[in-house]
Amino acid sequence: MEKFKAENNMKKKLIMLFSFISIIAISGIILIASYYSPAISEQKKVSLYLSYIAVLFIFVIVFLRQTLIEQRNISRLNIEKRETEIKLDEEKNRFETLFESTNNGIALLNLNGRFQRVNKAICELLGYSEVDMYAMNFFYLINQNDINSLQISIQHLIDNTISVHQSEHECFRKNGEILWILVTLSLIRDHLGIPKYFILQVENITMQKKAEDRLRHMAYHDPLTGLANRNKLEQFINHLLLSARRQQQCFALLFLDLDGFKNINDTIGHEAGDLLLQVVAERLRNVVRNTDMIVRLGGDEFVLLVTDIKKTESVAIIAKKILDNILQAVIIKGQDIYITTSIGISIYPYDGQNMQALMKCADLALYRAKEHGRNNYQFYTQEMTVKAKEKMNIKNALAQALTKDEFFLHYQPKMEIKTRRITGIEALLRWKNKDFGEVRPDEIISLAEESGLIIPVSEWILQTACTQLKAWHYQGFSSLTMSVNCTSRQFKQSTFIEDIQRIMAKIDIKTTFLEVEVTESMIMRDPENTMRLLDTLKEIGVRIVIDDFGTGYWSIGNLRQLSVDQIKIDGTFIKQVTLDETSAEIVSAIIAMVNKLGIISVAENVETREQYEFLAAEGCREIQGYYLTQPLPAEAMTSFLKHPVPDAEVISAT
Ligand code: C2E
Ligand code: CA
Ligand code: CA
């Protein structure tokens, strides 16, 4: 451009010079001719000479001015050119510095993908020297499965439908190591728009990819055991359902729940409990094929999916194997720990067509396995659903029992052997419904616990029993105590103590007449909280009775920590005392130890004179059971208190 301009100027100058010389020459000829012409006067000749000189002078001035302007333009252009050159140099240096010093790998590729220029970062990233790189093609470095999709994007770049392409690829370093890279490709065209090169930018995203993988793994796995979690189970079942439907295959869902894990966990500590779960997970892994899946749902619940089963017998064999494997002792902190599991099994497609239905059936079967004494497996049957439905109906009826006034209490007395005095009465819940008849109290309690209804029902029991006690006190049986049975759910209620105080105050009866019966297993379920509550109960004057003693893990030694008032030896031992020597020995030992601790020993479910005599001889302090009387309605109990059986008499009434 500059050159073109300069040539143009030179031409203009030459034309001007030529015109000037031509004019001077022609004017000169005319002047010489006029000099010799006699027709022109001397005066005219002088003015002609002067005009000629003036024109000459003007031409010189114009020429000089033009030359000066051009000279100035040239030097301005030269300065501008120099400045542009400097700027370009600076840009180039900056680009070079950037190209070499950036941490991102940058390269220039020809249209076939061969490296034309590379920076240090890309060489370091891929582990090749610069010389190596120039002999290589970028497209051979990345995972070949990605090539087709990359080629499509390259065509889009060439067609100008996109200006930049970005994608993530696995790529191989020189030493074989696999990297994850983010590739950015853009195209350079010449001044006619023809594609010339690709600019390739490469960023190492291996760490980010690893973090993503870890997060994905965490989203689908249980951190404690490394087994799949519920999300993965859902994903796998959906996949299984599709393929099983297509290929008309069956699969089994085994729902496992460790027996009494909570108790073990509370006894050996959570850390050891976690170890135990890891061992169980490992044992389950050893039982399954690698096409099956083991899942930890949380806590001590596991699911096992057994794929492509031909007959249910093979599932039974697997279930049996699991039971046997888990039964083996686990050594934790040098201690032998034994755990068992119960298993409920549902089978696709017979028991359900989706995950929800299959889980529900397996859960019902698991419930049955627990009912069957644990450490066994049960296949789901239709009849379980019928039972479950029935249970739901009872639960619904139970929810209305309080408002419909269907609950009532029966009362059963306790007698002190030595004095034959009736010391206290236990309140026992009863429910009569028009559809279900009389429902067993332990069933009512467990249903009420499940639905949360236990809180208002227990409040009603306490209020009714203590109001009745107040009436008996009023009738002269003024030293009688009232025992109420408690459940874990009540102990979790934050207002438990306040509620008792409020009710007792309202009835206007001292808390010292109230006895609260708790079982060993209730304490074991949540020892810290239960013991704290029992301490508070003691502080407000309530007496503590340990019910069903001997059936749990609670040892007599532990009772020292609690200021327990009475211990009720479980009825199953009492039943055996006159039949079996071992039971007799156990009961004698319990009585002796309880008495030694200054706690009142009570034998429950005493039915016969022989049992009574044995207990009396062993020094048992009090008895309760059909031997005295069955649990009675309030009025019948009043008559009993007035005319007790010959052996028992109510001293307080006299
Ligand atoms: P539990 O507290 O051990 O109550 C003693 C159970 O033994 C009562 O059964 C009673 O009727 C029965 N029984 C009493 N004497 C004899 C006897 O000589 N022989 C035999 N075989 N049984 C005898 P019930 O009333 O069916 O209650 C069963 C369980 O239900 C109770 O066991 C208790 O755990 C629970 N329960 C009953 N009423 C209530 C209540 O009001 N609240 C709570 N939380 N639980 C209750
Ligand atoms: Ca009881
Ligand atoms: Ca009992």
Side-chain angles (χ1 to χ4, degrees):
M1 189 71 187
E2 289 295 318
K3 204 176 153 195
F4 179 71
K5 246 184 175 175
E7 275 175 9
N8 224 14
N9 278 344
M10 186 59 91
K11 257 187 210 164
K12 262 192 199 167
K13 235 169 129 184
L14 282 174
I15 291 169
M16 240 176 96
L17 202 63
F18 181 71
S19 335
F20 174 66
I21 291 168
S22 310
I23 290 168
I24 296 293
I26 293 166
S27 314
I29 293 166
I30 294 169
L31 219 62
I32 292 165
S34 66
Y35 180 75
Y36 293 105
S37 170
I40 300 167
S41 68
E42 275 308 305
Q43 206 179 354
K44 272 191 180 160
K45 276 181 188 169
V46 169
S47 57
L48 260 173
Y49 294 151
L50 285 175
S51 308
Y52 182 73
I53 289 166
V55 168
L56 202 68
F57 184 71
I58 288 167
F59 266 111
V60 168
I61 294 290
V62 168
F63 186 75
L64 282 175
R65 189 175 166 271
Q66 190 61 31
T67 314
L68 208 71
I69 288 171
E70 270 170 21
Q71 210 57 48
R72 229 186 268 157
N73 277 349
I74 286 169
S75 58
R76 191 172 49 81
L77 279 173
N78 276 344
I79 290 169
E80 275 177 12
K81 195 178 160 197
R82 186 76 204 117
E83 276 175 1
T84 314
E85 276 172 5
I86 291 171
K87 262 190 201 156
L88 274 172
D89 270 356
E90 276 175 7
E91 288 286 317
K92 205 174 151 200
N93 281 345
R94 219 176 291 158
F95 175 76
E96 286 292 330
T97 319
L98 200 72
F99 189 76
E100 283 308 334
S101 65
T102 177
N103 285 335
N104 284 355
I106 304 179
L108 208 63
L109 307 178
N110 71 11
L111 295 182
N112 296 325
R114 253 186 113 98
F115 288 99
Q116 303 296 304
R117 252 207 91 177
V118 289
N119 73 349
K120 228 162 64 196
I122 199 166
C123 295
E124 275 169 16
L125 189 72
L126 300 174
Y128 291 97
S129 72
E130 206 174 322
V131 181
D132 284 345
M133 294 285 277
Y134 292 134
M136 282 163 43
N137 187 312
F138 169 67
F139 300 129
Y140 294 146
L141 286 176
I142 63 173
N143 190 329
Q144 292 305 293
N145 294 335
D146 301 348
I147 286 298
N148 284 347
S149 66
L150 191 61
Q151 229 126 40
I152 292 170
S153 298
I154 284 173
Q155 195 53 52
H156 287 321
L157 276 176
I158 291 172
D159 297 344
N160 224 350
T161 48
I162 53 168
S163 55
V164 181
H165 162 78
Q166 257 194 350
S167 49
E168 294 175 354
H169 301 278
E170 260 182 338
C171 105
F172 296 96
R173 296 191 83 222
K174 189 176 182 180
N175 62 6
E177 194 184 318
I178 294 177
L179 283 183
W180 269 98
I181 53 170
L182 175 69
V183 168
T184 309
L185 274 176
S186 46
L187 193 64
I188 299 180
R189 298 169 190 272
D190 67 8
H191 65 283
L192 296 172
I194 296 165
K196 284 287 173 196
Y197 300 104
F198 289 114
I199 294 185
L200 165 74
Q201 291 179 62
V202 177
E203 194 185 328
N204 185 357
I205 54 164
T206 313
M207 293 295 278
Q208 176 193 326
K209 276 277 164 191
K210 276 190 182 160
E212 277 172 18
D213 281 351
R214 234 190 340 262
L215 284 177
R216 203 171 308 122
H217 190 270
M218 273 161 69
Y220 287 103
H221 290 84
D222 162 48
L224 179 69
T225 58
L227 295 178
N229 66 7
R230 189 183 283 270
N231 293 340
K232 185 101 187 163
L233 173 70
E234 258 173 52
Q235 210 183 42
F236 189 55
I237 285 202
N238 288 337
H239 155 80
L240 262 188
L241 284 169
L242 279 178
S243 72
R245 251 174 231 148
R246 222 178 298 126
Q247 294 162 33
Q248 302 200 323
Q249 286 173 338
C250 300
F251 67 87
L253 190 153
L254 282 73
F255 199 158
L256 283 82
D257 184 289
L258 301 181
D259 302 323
F261 176 74
K262 177 112 186 45
N263 274 350
I264 295 183
N265 207 21
D266 290 341
T267 318
I268 63 174
H270 289 259
E271 223 175 279
D274 283 354
L275 279 175
L276 183 62
L277 288 171
Q278 285 169 335
V279 173
V280 168
E282 199 47 47
R283 289 184 180 177
L284 289 174
R285 272 194 195 100
N286 294 338
V287 174
V288 302
R289 303 167 299 177
N290 51 13
T291 47
D292 303 335
M293 179 184 267
I294 322 161
V295 178
R296 179 170 172 236
L297 287 185
D300 59 338
E301 288 181 349
F302 297 85
V303 164
L304 173 60
L305 282 177
V306 184
T307 56
D308 189 19
I309 51 166
K310 301 279 182 271
K311 44 188 184 182
T312 46
E313 286 79 17
S314 53
V315 184
I317 292 170
I318 294 175
K320 179 90 185 51
K321 226 164 151 187
I322 293 174
L323 293 180
D324 291 346
N325 268 11
I326 290 185
L327 198 65
Q328 310 296 318
V330 183
I331 303 165
I332 291 176
K333 293 185 192 160
Q335 206 183 331
D336 275 2
I337 291 168
Y338 290 91
I339 183 109
T340 57
T341 185
S342 302
I343 307 174
I345 306 167
S346 62
I347 307 242
Y348 172 86
Y350 311 112
D351 302 334
Q353 299 287 324
N354 55 40
M355 170 166 163
Q356 231 184 347
L358 289 165
M359 288 283 283
K360 202 169 161 191
C361 293
D363 192 23
L364 285 173
L366 173 66
Y367 187 77
R368 175 63 60 87
K370 294 266 179 201
E371 274 184 343
H372 271 238
R374 298 154 184 235
N375 192 30
N376 72 102
Y377 63 87
Q378 296 287 327
F379 282 91
Y380 167 77
T381 61
Q382 286 274 308
E383 168 249 330
M384 290 177 190
T385 303
V386 175
K387 278 225 157 172
K389 278 195 185 135
E390 197 180 308
K391 185 174 160 185
M392 210 167 71
N393 291 339
I394 299 184
K395 249 189 191 174
N396 289 340
L398 187 67
Q400 298 166 29
L402 209 54
T403 45
K404 285 189 174 169
D405 220 6
E406 292 177 347
F407 289 127
F408 55 99
L409 292 180
H410 274 180
Y411 299 95
Q412 195 180 27
K414 271 184 298 191
M415 186 194 79
E416 191 176 40
I417 295 178
K418 207 165 149 195
T419 58
R420 293 182 181 172
R421 184 173 67 108
I422 301 296
T423 53
I425 309 277
E426 181 178 1
L428 294 160
L429 182 65
R430 299 290 180 261
W431 174 39
K432 199 169 182 181
N433 175 272
K434 64 174 173 33
D435 295 324
F436 304 106
E438 277 207 34
V439 184
R440 274 195 1 257
D442 42 0
E443 198 179 337
I444 308 171
I445 299 299
S446 84
L447 289 174
E449 275 253 294
E450 278 175 32
S451 61
L453 207 69
I454 192 74
I455 305 297
V457 171
S458 298
E459 185 160 332
W460 177 86
I461 294 169
L462 185 64
Q463 180 140 356
T464 313
C466 289
T467 308
Q468 183 58 53
L469 182 68
K470 172 111 180 169
W472 282 326
H473 279 187
Y474 191 71
Q475 289 167 36
F477 311 112
S478 55
S479 66
L480 280 184
T481 57
M482 180 59 73
S483 264
V484 290
N485 293 283
C486 276
T487 67
S488 311
R489 187 87 177 235
Q490 280 176 275
F491 269 40
K492 287 206 181 91
Q493 182 82 351
S494 56
T495 55
F496 179 63
I497 304 278
E498 289 158 42
D499 290 345
I500 290 180
Q501 282 178 306
R502 175 174 48 81
I503 292 166
M504 303 296 280
K506 198 171 134 202
I507 300 167
D508 188 23
I509 193 159
K510 279 192 193 144
T511 43
T512 44
F513 290 109
L514 179 66
E515 289 172 354
V516 161
E517 295 198 9
V518 293
T519 59
E520 289 169 289
S521 53
M522 261 177 74
I523 305 175
M524 287 310 300
R525 225 165 280 154
D526 186 4
E528 230 171 82
N529 183 42
T530 317
M531 280 163 76
R532 193 174 44 77
L533 271 175
L534 292 179
D535 280 344
T536 322
L537 279 174
K538 281 257 37 154
E539 276 166 27
I540 64 165
V542 176
R543 300 193 204 188
I544 313 292
V545 180
I546 305 290
D547 203 357
D548 304 341
F549 188 82
T551 54
Y553 297 87
W554 199 245
S555 68
I556 289 184
N558 286 335
L559 293 174
R560 272 185 254 267
Q561 299 169 28
L562 268 179
S563 32
V564 170
D565 296 277
Q566 296 182 16
I567 283 181
K568 273 191 176 176
I569 306 163
D570 191 68
T572 50
F573 294 110
I574 307 301
K575 204 173 181 168
Q576 297 295 320
V577 284
T578 52
L579 307 171
D580 144 39
E581 234 171 73
T582 321
S583 297
E585 276 166 17
I586 292 173
V587 171
S588 305
I590 293 176
I591 293 171
M593 285 166 92
V594 169
N595 287 350
K596 209 168 155 202
L597 285 170
I599 300 170
I600 297 172
S601 48
V602 184
E604 66 172 9
N605 297 11
V606 181
E607 292 183 358
T608 64
R609 185 160 190 98
E610 291 76 44
Q611 289 167 353
Y612 168 75
E613 278 169 359
F614 171 85
L615 293 161
E618 292 304 315
C620 183
R621 293 273 298 275
E622 295 188 11
I623 58 152
Q624 184 183 30
Y626 297 166
Y627 179 60
L628 290 176
T629 171
Q630 294 217 344
L632 299 169
E635 266 174 46
M637 181 48 70
T638 310
S639 309
F640 175 87
L641 289 172
K642 283 180 185 160
H643 310 286
V645 285
D647 274 339
E649 56 189 72
V650 186
I651 289 177
S652 55
T654 56

